[in-house]
Amino acid sequence: MGLACLVDGFGRVLRDRARAEGILPSSTRYLTVEGVSGWLFPVVSELDDPYQLFLWFDGGGYQVKLVEPQVLGRFDPHACHVFPDGRLCLSSEAGGGMPSLEDAYARSVLWCNGFSVFAREGRFPF
């Protein structure tokens, strides 16, 4: 059982790396930070605000953490859809993650656009 899980996990990593190359921005970097491997990538919102995000698989789903700008402590986490640990709340599912890398990326870009509106108007547009 242990070897099968290891092989499945390695296969997922290889598939994810291939998918990431096809959908994430060209300046994306694959990194390991504090034992967690994932992708650091930029997003520029429709309102021209820059963001840096980190996307990874946590064993159950794909998570995205906001790296920049710093919003923790500046805004109500519930109002801006950010968990207290900096992860974006991408879904209503427990843990807030997404089932695929593609979905996590798409929702994180949507979040950036929504947060740009939130920062200007004090409300999330969706």
Side-chain angles (χ1 to χ4, degrees), residues 29-60:
R29 295 183 301 165
Y30 187 76
L31 306 168
T32 300
V33 179
E34 297 178 6
V36 177
S37 296
W39 295 268
L40 180 69
F41 64 96
V43 171
V44 177
S45 74
E46 292 175 355
L47 295 174
D48 211 30
D49 297 327
Y51 296 88
Q52 283 286 325
L53 304 164
F54 184 73
L55 186 154
W56 77 100
F57 183 74
D58 71 358

Side-chain angles (χ1 to χ4, degrees), residues 7-43:
V7 170
D8 287 345
F10 186 68
R12 184 195 47 75
V13 169
L14 291 176
R15 285 188 304 275
D16 283 352
R17 289 184 90 163
R19 286 182 185 127
E21 287 180 19
I23 64 167
L24 297 177
S26 61
S27 59
T28 297
R29 295 183 301 165
Y30 187 76
L31 306 168
T32 300
V33 179
E34 297 178 6
V36 177
S37 296
W39 295 268
L40 180 69
F41 64 96
V43 171

Side-chain angles (χ1 to χ4, degrees), residues 49-111:
D49 297 327
Y51 296 88
Q52 283 286 325
L53 304 164
F54 184 73
L55 186 154
W56 77 100
F57 183 74
D58 71 358
Y62 292 84
Q63 301 287 340
V64 179
K65 185 172 186 170
L66 178 65
V67 177
E68 291 180 7
Q70 177 62 34
V71 301
L72 294 177
R74 295 180 52 211
F75 303 101
D76 173 12
H78 183 72
C80 62
H81 304 279
V82 177
F83 289 110
D85 64 0
R87 286 179 302 121
L88 305 183
C89 181
L90 302 175
S91 74
S92 59
E93 299 297 317
M98 296 302 294
S100 73
L101 186 143
E102 293 88 348
D103 290 343
Y105 173 65
R107 288 282 179 104
S108 67
V109 171
L110 183 63
W111 180 91

